[in-house]
Amino acid sequence: MSRKLRMGMVGGGTGSFIGDVHRKAAAIDGMIELVCGAFSSTAEKSIASGLALNLEKSRCYGTFEEMIEKEKALPEATRMDFVAIVTPNHMHFPPAKMALENGFHVVCDKPVTLTLEEAEELQKVIAKSGKLFALTHNYTGNSMVKQARAMVAKGELGTIRKIQAQYLQGWLSTSLEKTDQKQAAWRVDPKKSGIGGALGDIGTHAENLIEYITGLKIEEIAADLGRFGEGRVLDDDGNMLIRMENGAKGTISISQIALGEENNLGIKVYGTKGSLEWYQENPNELITRWLEEPKKIYTPNGNGLHEEALEVSRIPAGHPEGYLEAFATIYKNFATHVNAVNHGQSINKPDYPTIEDGVRGMKFIYAAVESDRNNAAWTKIN
Protein backbone atom coordinates (compact mmCIF):
# COMPACT_ATOMS: atom_id res chain seq x y z
CA MET A 1 0.00 0.00 0.00
CA SER A 2 1.57 3.27 -1.16
CA ARG A 3 -0.92 5.56 0.60
CA LYS A 4 -4.14 5.58 2.60
CA LEU A 5 -7.33 5.27 0.61
CA ARG A 6 -9.48 8.39 0.67
CA MET A 7 -13.07 7.87 1.83
CA GLY A 8 -16.10 10.07 1.26
CA MET A 9 -19.23 9.51 3.35
CA VAL A 10 -22.94 9.92 2.65
CA GLY A 11 -24.94 10.24 5.88
CA GLY A 12 -23.47 9.69 9.31
CA GLY A 13 -23.61 13.26 10.59
CA THR A 14 -23.44 14.50 14.16
CA GLY A 15 -25.32 12.15 16.47
CA SER A 16 -25.33 9.24 14.04
CA PHE A 17 -24.51 5.89 15.65
CA ILE A 18 -23.67 3.95 12.51
CA GLY A 19 -21.73 6.77 10.86
CA ASP A 20 -19.40 6.95 13.84
CA VAL A 21 -19.00 3.16 13.75
CA HIS A 22 -18.03 3.21 10.08
CA ARG A 23 -15.47 5.97 10.62
CA LYS A 24 -13.87 4.20 13.58
CA ALA A 25 -13.83 0.83 11.85
CA ALA A 26 -12.36 2.24 8.66
CA ALA A 27 -9.53 3.85 10.63
CA ILE A 28 -8.50 0.86 12.77
CA ASP A 29 -5.99 -0.68 10.35
CA GLY A 30 -4.51 2.60 9.13
CA MET A 31 -5.47 1.97 5.52
CA ILE A 32 -8.24 4.55 5.11
CA GLU A 33 -8.82 8.23 5.90
CA LEU A 34 -12.01 10.28 5.72
CA VAL A 35 -11.53 13.27 3.39
CA CYS A 36 -15.02 14.49 2.53
CA GLY A 37 -18.70 13.94 3.06
CA ALA A 38 -22.34 14.87 2.62
CA PHE A 39 -23.38 14.03 6.14
CA SER A 40 -26.97 15.21 6.39
CA SER A 41 -30.11 15.89 4.37
CA THR A 42 -29.65 19.60 5.09
CA ALA A 43 -26.58 21.48 3.87
CA GLU A 44 -26.11 23.41 7.11
CA LYS A 45 -26.03 20.26 9.24
CA SER A 46 -23.82 18.48 6.74
CA ILE A 47 -21.19 21.21 6.74
CA ALA A 48 -21.30 21.52 10.53
CA SER A 49 -20.80 17.74 10.86
CA GLY A 50 -17.85 17.79 8.48
CA LEU A 51 -16.19 20.66 10.32
CA ALA A 52 -16.70 18.81 13.62
CA LEU A 53 -14.77 15.94 12.05
CA ASN A 54 -11.92 18.34 11.21
CA LEU A 55 -12.47 18.21 7.47
CA GLU A 56 -11.70 21.10 5.15
CA LYS A 57 -14.81 23.23 4.64
CA SER A 58 -14.40 22.97 0.87
CA ARG A 59 -14.94 19.22 1.15
CA CYS A 60 -18.01 19.36 3.37
CA TYR A 61 -20.83 19.10 0.88
CA GLY A 62 -24.53 19.92 1.05
CA THR A 63 -25.69 16.92 -1.01
CA PHE A 64 -24.25 13.62 -2.21
CA GLU A 65 -24.71 14.81 -5.80
CA GLU A 66 -22.51 17.83 -5.12
CA MET A 67 -19.92 15.67 -3.41
CA ILE A 68 -19.65 13.17 -6.26
CA GLU A 69 -19.55 15.84 -8.96
CA LYS A 70 -16.96 18.04 -7.21
CA GLU A 71 -14.79 15.13 -6.08
CA LYS A 72 -14.73 13.76 -9.62
CA ALA A 73 -13.46 17.16 -10.82
CA LEU A 74 -10.53 17.11 -8.39
CA PRO A 75 -7.09 15.85 -9.41
CA GLU A 76 -6.73 12.08 -9.11
CA ALA A 77 -4.07 12.58 -6.44
CA THR A 78 -6.53 14.22 -4.05
CA ARG A 79 -10.06 13.06 -4.90
CA MET A 80 -11.83 10.40 -2.86
CA ASP A 81 -11.31 6.75 -3.82
CA PHE A 82 -14.61 5.40 -2.58
CA VAL A 83 -17.91 6.35 -0.96
CA ALA A 84 -19.29 4.91 2.29
CA ILE A 85 -23.10 5.09 2.44
CA VAL A 86 -24.50 5.08 5.99
CA THR A 87 -28.01 6.45 5.48
CA PRO A 88 -31.45 4.91 6.08
CA ASN A 89 -32.39 2.26 3.50
CA HIS A 90 -34.27 4.53 1.09
CA MET A 91 -31.10 6.55 0.51
CA HIS A 92 -28.78 3.67 -0.39
CA PHE A 93 -29.54 3.24 -4.08
CA PRO A 94 -29.34 6.83 -5.41
CA PRO A 95 -25.83 7.71 -4.11
CA ALA A 96 -24.50 4.20 -4.77
CA LYS A 97 -25.63 4.30 -8.39
CA MET A 98 -24.27 7.80 -8.98
CA ALA A 99 -20.93 7.04 -7.33
CA LEU A 100 -20.39 3.87 -9.35
CA GLU A 101 -21.36 5.55 -12.62
CA ASN A 102 -18.84 8.31 -11.90
CA GLY A 103 -15.94 5.97 -11.24
CA PHE A 104 -15.98 5.51 -7.46
CA HIS A 105 -16.01 2.29 -5.47
CA VAL A 106 -18.75 1.93 -2.84
CA VAL A 107 -19.20 0.58 0.68
CA CYS A 108 -22.85 0.43 1.73
CA ASP A 109 -24.74 -0.38 4.89
CA LYS A 110 -27.33 -3.19 4.85
CA PRO A 111 -29.93 -4.02 3.66
CA VAL A 112 -28.52 -3.01 0.34
CA THR A 113 -31.50 -1.03 -0.98
CA LEU A 114 -35.12 -0.11 -0.29
CA THR A 115 -36.54 -2.61 -2.79
CA LEU A 116 -35.54 -5.81 -4.55
CA GLU A 117 -35.89 -4.05 -7.89
CA GLU A 118 -33.31 -1.46 -6.81
CA ALA A 119 -30.96 -4.21 -5.63
CA GLU A 120 -31.13 -6.02 -8.96
CA GLU A 121 -30.65 -2.75 -10.85
CA LEU A 122 -27.65 -1.89 -8.67
CA GLN A 123 -26.16 -5.29 -9.43
CA LYS A 124 -26.25 -4.40 -13.13
CA VAL A 125 -24.75 -0.96 -12.48
CA ILE A 126 -21.86 -2.51 -10.54
CA ALA A 127 -21.14 -5.02 -13.29
CA LYS A 128 -21.17 -2.30 -15.95
CA SER A 129 -19.01 0.08 -13.91
CA GLY A 130 -16.28 -2.43 -13.10
CA LYS A 131 -16.01 -0.87 -9.64
CA LEU A 132 -15.96 -2.67 -6.29
CA PHE A 133 -18.92 -2.81 -3.93
CA ALA A 134 -18.89 -3.95 -0.30
CA LEU A 135 -21.88 -4.51 1.96
CA THR A 136 -21.30 -4.17 5.69
CA HIS A 137 -22.59 -7.44 7.07
CA ASN A 138 -19.97 -6.76 9.70
CA TYR A 139 -20.37 -9.91 11.80
CA THR A 140 -18.76 -11.96 9.05
CA GLY A 141 -15.53 -10.10 9.86
CA ASN A 142 -15.23 -11.64 13.33
CA SER A 143 -12.28 -14.02 13.67
CA MET A 144 -14.41 -16.72 15.32
CA VAL A 145 -16.93 -16.51 12.48
CA LYS A 146 -14.03 -16.99 10.07
CA GLN A 147 -12.95 -20.02 12.12
CA ALA A 148 -16.48 -21.44 12.01
CA ARG A 149 -16.69 -20.97 8.24
CA ALA A 150 -13.30 -22.60 7.70
CA MET A 151 -14.20 -25.61 9.86
CA VAL A 152 -17.41 -26.21 7.92
CA ALA A 153 -15.67 -25.72 4.55
CA LYS A 154 -12.95 -28.22 5.46
CA GLY A 155 -15.55 -30.83 6.38
CA GLU A 156 -14.69 -30.96 10.07
CA LEU A 157 -18.35 -30.89 11.11
CA GLY A 158 -19.36 -33.42 8.46
CA THR A 159 -22.62 -32.97 6.59
CA ILE A 160 -24.67 -30.07 7.94
CA ARG A 161 -28.08 -31.21 9.16
CA LYS A 162 -29.54 -28.50 11.38
CA ILE A 163 -29.10 -24.75 11.89
CA GLN A 164 -30.52 -22.42 14.53
CA ALA A 165 -30.02 -18.66 14.31
CA GLN A 166 -31.42 -15.83 16.38
CA TYR A 167 -31.16 -12.07 16.52
CA LEU A 168 -33.02 -10.71 19.52
CA GLN A 169 -33.29 -7.09 20.63
CA GLY A 170 -35.70 -5.29 22.94
CA TRP A 171 -35.17 -1.63 22.12
CA LEU A 172 -38.52 -1.26 20.29
CA SER A 173 -40.56 -2.82 23.11
CA THR A 174 -42.16 0.59 23.63
CA SER A 175 -43.41 3.10 21.05
CA LEU A 176 -40.02 4.75 20.79
CA GLU A 177 -40.78 5.99 17.29
CA LYS A 178 -43.41 8.34 18.73
CA THR A 179 -40.71 10.25 20.59
CA ASP A 180 -37.83 12.20 19.04
CA GLN A 181 -35.83 8.98 18.50
CA LYS A 182 -34.85 9.18 14.82
CA GLN A 183 -33.33 5.69 14.69
CA ALA A 184 -36.68 4.19 15.68
CA ALA A 185 -38.77 6.50 13.48
CA TRP A 186 -37.22 5.58 10.14
CA ARG A 187 -37.05 1.86 10.92
CA VAL A 188 -40.83 1.57 11.32
CA ASP A 189 -41.57 3.69 8.23
CA PRO A 190 -42.08 1.63 5.02
CA LYS A 191 -41.10 4.64 2.89
CA LYS A 192 -37.64 4.64 4.49
CA SER A 193 -37.18 1.04 5.62
CA GLY A 194 -38.87 -0.93 2.84
CA ILE A 195 -41.29 -3.85 3.20
CA GLY A 196 -39.33 -5.36 6.08
CA GLY A 197 -38.86 -3.89 9.56
CA ALA A 198 -36.86 -6.16 11.85
CA LEU A 199 -36.46 -8.43 8.82
CA GLY A 200 -34.28 -5.90 7.05
CA ASP A 201 -32.60 -4.42 10.09
CA ILE A 202 -31.51 -7.61 11.85
CA GLY A 203 -33.06 -10.56 10.00
CA THR A 204 -30.72 -10.12 7.05
CA HIS A 205 -27.76 -10.38 9.44
CA ALA A 206 -29.02 -13.78 10.64
CA GLU A 207 -29.68 -14.93 7.07
CA ASN A 208 -26.26 -13.76 5.91
CA LEU A 209 -24.46 -15.35 8.86
CA ILE A 210 -26.12 -18.72 8.14
CA GLU A 211 -25.12 -18.69 4.49
CA TYR A 212 -21.63 -17.35 5.19
CA ILE A 213 -20.70 -19.93 7.83
CA THR A 214 -22.30 -22.97 6.20
CA GLY A 215 -21.62 -22.11 2.56
CA LEU A 216 -25.19 -23.23 1.89
CA LYS A 217 -28.11 -21.27 0.47
CA ILE A 218 -31.52 -21.04 2.12
CA GLU A 219 -33.96 -22.44 -0.45
CA GLU A 220 -37.33 -22.05 1.24
CA ILE A 221 -38.79 -20.21 4.20
CA ALA A 222 -41.99 -20.37 6.24
CA ALA A 223 -42.32 -17.12 8.14
CA ASP A 224 -44.68 -16.01 10.91
CA LEU A 225 -44.11 -12.30 11.49
CA GLY A 226 -45.38 -10.12 14.32
CA ARG A 227 -46.30 -6.44 14.50
CA PHE A 228 -46.69 -5.87 18.21
CA GLY A 229 -45.96 -2.16 18.47
CA GLU A 230 -49.13 -0.06 18.42
CA GLY A 231 -49.81 1.21 14.91
CA ARG A 232 -46.80 -0.50 13.32
CA VAL A 233 -47.23 -1.82 9.80
CA LEU A 234 -43.76 -3.38 9.55
CA ASP A 235 -42.68 -6.49 11.40
CA ASP A 236 -40.93 -6.09 14.75
CA ASP A 237 -40.78 -9.84 15.51
CA GLY A 238 -40.63 -13.08 13.58
CA ASN A 239 -40.15 -16.83 13.69
CA MET A 240 -39.11 -18.72 10.58
CA LEU A 241 -38.53 -22.28 9.48
CA ILE A 242 -35.91 -22.70 6.77
CA ARG A 243 -34.87 -25.42 4.36
CA MET A 244 -31.30 -25.41 3.05
CA GLU A 245 -30.18 -26.45 -0.42
CA ASN A 246 -28.53 -29.63 0.90
CA GLY A 247 -31.68 -30.76 2.74
CA ALA A 248 -30.68 -29.38 6.15
CA LYS A 249 -33.44 -27.86 8.29
CA GLY A 250 -33.32 -24.81 10.50
CA THR A 251 -34.94 -21.95 12.33
CA ILE A 252 -34.47 -18.20 12.51
CA SER A 253 -35.93 -16.16 15.37
CA ILE A 254 -35.76 -12.38 15.25
CA SER A 255 -37.24 -9.68 17.47
CA GLN A 256 -36.91 -6.04 18.42
CA ILE A 257 -39.60 -6.31 21.09
CA ALA A 258 -37.90 -9.07 23.14
CA LEU A 259 -37.84 -7.05 26.35
CA GLY A 260 -34.44 -7.09 28.07
CA GLU A 261 -32.47 -8.33 25.08
CA GLU A 262 -29.69 -6.08 23.84
CA ASN A 263 -27.96 -7.41 20.71
CA ASN A 264 -28.34 -11.15 20.98
CA LEU A 265 -27.21 -12.49 17.62
CA GLY A 266 -26.28 -16.15 17.78
CA ILE A 267 -25.96 -19.25 15.63
CA LYS A 268 -25.73 -23.00 16.11
CA VAL A 269 -24.70 -25.37 13.32
CA TYR A 270 -25.05 -29.14 13.71
CA GLY A 271 -23.27 -31.65 11.47
CA THR A 272 -22.75 -35.41 11.41
CA LYS A 273 -19.32 -35.16 13.06
CA GLY A 274 -19.60 -32.08 15.25
CA SER A 275 -21.41 -28.82 16.00
CA LEU A 276 -20.54 -25.19 16.67
CA GLU A 277 -22.06 -22.29 18.56
CA TRP A 278 -21.26 -18.55 18.48
CA TYR A 279 -22.83 -15.43 19.98
CA GLN A 280 -22.14 -11.82 19.07
CA GLU A 281 -22.43 -10.70 22.69
CA ASN A 282 -19.60 -13.11 23.58
CA PRO A 283 -17.70 -12.88 20.29
CA ASN A 284 -14.36 -14.21 21.51
CA GLU A 285 -15.56 -17.78 22.03
CA LEU A 286 -16.45 -20.33 19.38
CA ILE A 287 -17.85 -23.38 21.14
CA THR A 288 -17.55 -26.73 19.35
CA ARG A 289 -18.79 -30.19 20.31
CA TRP A 290 -17.74 -33.50 18.84
CA LEU A 291 -18.98 -37.03 18.38
CA GLU A 292 -16.20 -38.72 20.36
CA GLU A 293 -14.11 -35.85 21.72
CA PRO A 294 -14.44 -33.30 24.54
CA LYS A 295 -15.99 -29.89 23.93
CA LYS A 296 -13.48 -27.36 22.54
CA ILE A 297 -13.57 -23.58 22.79
CA TYR A 298 -11.62 -21.51 20.27
CA THR A 299 -10.53 -17.91 20.92
CA PRO A 300 -8.98 -15.15 18.77
CA ASN A 301 -5.27 -15.84 18.18
CA GLY A 302 -5.64 -18.90 20.39
CA ASN A 303 -4.53 -22.47 19.77
CA GLY A 304 -5.83 -24.55 16.90
CA LEU A 305 -7.09 -21.77 14.62
CA HIS A 306 -7.17 -22.01 10.87
CA GLU A 307 -5.29 -19.41 8.84
CA GLU A 308 -8.57 -17.72 7.89
CA ALA A 309 -9.15 -16.82 11.55
CA LEU A 310 -5.55 -15.97 12.36
CA GLU A 311 -5.45 -13.45 9.50
CA VAL A 312 -8.07 -11.27 11.19
CA SER A 313 -6.95 -11.70 14.81
CA ARG A 314 -5.19 -8.41 15.47
CA ILE A 315 -3.93 -8.72 19.05
CA PRO A 316 -2.51 -11.45 21.33
CA ALA A 317 -4.77 -14.16 22.71
CA GLY A 318 -6.77 -13.14 25.77
CA HIS A 319 -7.36 -9.58 24.58
CA PRO A 320 -11.03 -9.11 23.59
CA GLU A 321 -11.91 -8.42 19.97
CA GLY A 322 -15.48 -7.63 19.03
CA TYR A 323 -17.87 -5.47 17.09
CA LEU A 324 -15.54 -2.70 15.87
CA GLU A 325 -12.77 -5.12 14.95
CA ALA A 326 -15.18 -7.27 12.95
CA PHE A 327 -16.47 -4.15 11.19
CA ALA A 328 -12.88 -3.10 10.52
CA THR A 329 -12.17 -6.43 8.83
CA ILE A 330 -14.75 -5.62 6.16
CA TYR A 331 -13.02 -2.32 5.49
CA LYS A 332 -9.56 -3.88 5.58
CA ASN A 333 -10.41 -6.59 3.07
CA PHE A 334 -12.21 -4.09 0.85
CA ALA A 335 -9.26 -1.67 1.00
CA THR A 336 -6.86 -4.51 0.18
CA HIS A 337 -8.94 -5.28 -2.89
CA VAL A 338 -9.07 -1.63 -3.98
CA ASN A 339 -5.29 -1.34 -3.59
CA ALA A 340 -4.81 -4.48 -5.66
CA VAL A 341 -6.99 -3.05 -8.42
CA ASN A 342 -5.08 0.25 -8.27
CA HIS A 343 -1.86 -1.67 -8.86
CA GLY A 344 -3.22 -3.75 -11.72
CA GLN A 345 -3.52 -6.89 -9.64
CA SER A 346 -6.49 -9.17 -9.03
CA ILE A 347 -7.93 -11.03 -6.05
CA ASN A 348 -9.81 -14.21 -6.95
CA LYS A 349 -12.06 -14.47 -3.90
CA PRO A 350 -12.23 -11.22 -1.93
CA ASP A 351 -13.50 -11.98 1.58
CA TYR A 352 -16.12 -9.34 2.20
CA PRO A 353 -19.88 -9.21 1.50
CA THR A 354 -20.78 -8.00 -1.98
CA ILE A 355 -23.83 -7.07 -4.04
CA GLU A 356 -24.65 -10.78 -4.38
CA ASP A 357 -25.12 -10.93 -0.60
CA GLY A 358 -27.24 -7.80 -0.81
CA VAL A 359 -29.55 -9.26 -3.44
CA ARG A 360 -29.82 -12.49 -1.41
CA GLY A 361 -30.82 -10.43 1.62
CA MET A 362 -33.54 -8.60 -0.28
CA LYS A 363 -34.91 -11.87 -1.68
CA PHE A 364 -34.96 -13.23 1.88
CA ILE A 365 -37.01 -10.22 3.05
CA TYR A 366 -39.46 -10.50 0.17
CA ALA A 367 -39.90 -14.26 0.57
CA ALA A 368 -40.50 -13.91 4.31
CA VAL A 369 -43.11 -11.18 3.82
CA GLU A 370 -44.86 -13.20 1.12
CA SER A 371 -44.85 -16.31 3.32
CA ASP A 372 -46.31 -14.37 6.24
CA ARG A 373 -49.09 -12.98 4.04
CA ASN A 374 -49.98 -16.57 3.12
CA ASN A 375 -50.25 -17.86 6.69
CA ALA A 376 -46.59 -18.92 6.89
CA ALA A 377 -46.77 -20.99 3.70
CA TRP A 378 -43.47 -22.38 2.41
CA THR A 379 -42.02 -19.85 -0.03
CA LYS A 380 -38.97 -20.22 -2.23
CA ILE A 381 -36.15 -17.67 -2.09
CA ASN A 382 -35.69 -17.26 -5.84
Side-chain angles (χ1 to χ4, degrees):
M1 185 179 72
S2 57
R3 62 172 176 82
K4 288 186 178 183
L5 294 180
R6 296 179 289 268
M7 177 174 76
M9 181 168 280
V10 177
T14 303
S16 165
F17 157 69
I18 201 63
D20 194 42
V21 167
H22 275 260
R23 289 187 288 269
K24 288 175 179 175
I28 281 179
D29 291 295
M31 300 175 70
I32 298 167
E33 62 179 334
L34 179 70
V35 297
C36 64
F39 300 101
S40 175
S41 56
T42 65
E44 184 180 358
K45 290 182 179 178
S46 178
I47 293 170
S49 294
L51 294 176
L53 292 167
N54 297 312
L55 297 181
E56 297 177 11
K57 187 174 182 179
S58 62
R59 300 184 79 175
C60 302
Y61 301 105
T63 65
F64 73 82
E65 294 94 341
E66 180 191 12
M67 181 182 80
I68 292 170
E69 290 171 358
K70 290 191 174 179
E71 287 293 315
K72 185 179 180 180
L74 292 175
E76 187 175 347
T78 57
R79 73 168 72 114
M80 65 182 180
D81 294 292
F82 73 95
V83 177
I85 301 170
V86 297
T87 59
N89 305 349
H90 72 297
M91 285 302 296
H92 288 181
F93 178 75
K97 181 176 184 290
M98 184 176 179
L100 291 160
E101 290 177 339
N102 282 274
F104 297 106
H105 307 290
V106 172
V107 174
C108 185
D109 217 4
K110 41 55 53 191
V112 66
T113 50
L114 184 70
T115 68
L116 176 58
E117 291 75 17
E118 284 183 348
E120 291 175 333
E121 175 63 23
L122 188 61
Q123 191 172 31
K124 295 175 183 177
V125 172
I126 293 166
K128 185 177 180 180
S129 72
K131 295 300 174 181
L132 305 183
F133 181 92
L135 190 68
T136 51
H137 276 300
N138 53 290
Y139 300 107
T140 64
N142 184 278
S143 61
M144 293 298 91
V145 171
K146 302 288 189 192
Q147 175 69 12
R149 175 180 168 89
M151 294 175 75
V152 173
K154 296 175 191 299
E156 294 176 21
L157 270 64
T159 301
I160 303 305
R161 291 172 164 174
K162 183 178 180 65
I163 302 161
Q164 290 182 315
Q166 65 183 44
Y167 203 150
L168 306 175
Q169 299 175 335
W171 72 292
L172 288 179
S173 293
T174 62
S175 299
L176 198 59
E177 66 271 22
K178 296 178 181 178
T179 68
D180 292 330
Q181 227 280 14
K182 292 182 179 180
Q183 295 300 318
W186 77 257
R187 280 175 169 82
V188 302
D189 182 354
K191 294 180 180 179
K192 295 182 178 180
S193 184
I195 68 169
L199 270 172
D201 197 25
I202 58 178
T204 52
H205 272 309
E207 166 266 330
N208 181 259
L209 195 63
I210 288 172
E211 295 196 347
Y212 183 78
I213 288 178
T214 67
L216 301 169
K217 301 296 184 186
I218 302 171
E219 281 200 335
E220 291 183 279
I221 185 170
D224 180 22
L225 305 178
R227 297 159 187 85
F228 290 99
E230 182 181 355
R232 287 179 188 161
V233 296
L234 297 181
D235 60 279
D236 53 19
D237 184 82
N239 296 291
M240 292 157 266
L241 299 176
I242 59 173
R243 292 171 177 166
M244 309 301 292
E245 62 182 340
N246 75 331
K249 311 290 187 180
T251 62
I252 300 175
S253 179
I254 63 169
S255 185
Q256 293 181 317
I257 51 88
L259 186 64
E261 295 286 0
E262 294 179 341
N263 201 54
N264 190 356
L265 169 64
I267 185 169
K268 296 180 180 180
V269 179
Y270 299 90
T272 53
K273 297 179 182 179
S275 65
L276 60 82
E277 182 176 354
W278 180 81
Y279 296 95
Q280 190 278 149
E281 291 185 341
N282 189 20
N284 295 283
E285 288 190 354
L286 174 66
I287 302 168
T288 62
R289 297 178 176 87
W290 306 96
L291 190 62
E292 296 179 349
E293 296 180 33
K295 177 173 70 175
K296 297 179 182 178
I297 299 177
Y298 294 90
T299 58
N301 247 331
N303 295 328
L305 295 187
H306 290 300
E307 187 62 31
E308 291 89 337
L310 289 171
E311 285 179 352
V312 298
S313 298
R314 292 175 175 81
I315 48 182
H319 295 74
E321 297 185 47
Y323 180 78
L324 282 176
E325 290 85 356
F327 222 115
T329 296
I330 305 298
Y331 271 101
K332 180 181 180 181
N333 290 350
F334 174 77
T336 299
H337 197 183
V338 172
N339 278 314
V341 170
N342 288 345
H343 289 85
Q345 301 167 351
S346 62
I347 295 179
N348 291 330
K349 294 182 179 180
D351 189 9
Y352 58 83
T354 66
I355 185 60
E356 284 71 27
D357 298 281
V359 172
R360 285 288 302 171
M362 294 305 298
K363 289 182 176 180
F364 165 79
I365 294 170
Y366 274 60
V369 170
E370 181 181 346
S371 172
D372 179 65
R373 286 172 179 167
N374 291 289
N375 198 28
W378 283 104
T379 304
K380 289 188 178 296
I381 299 178
N382 295 325

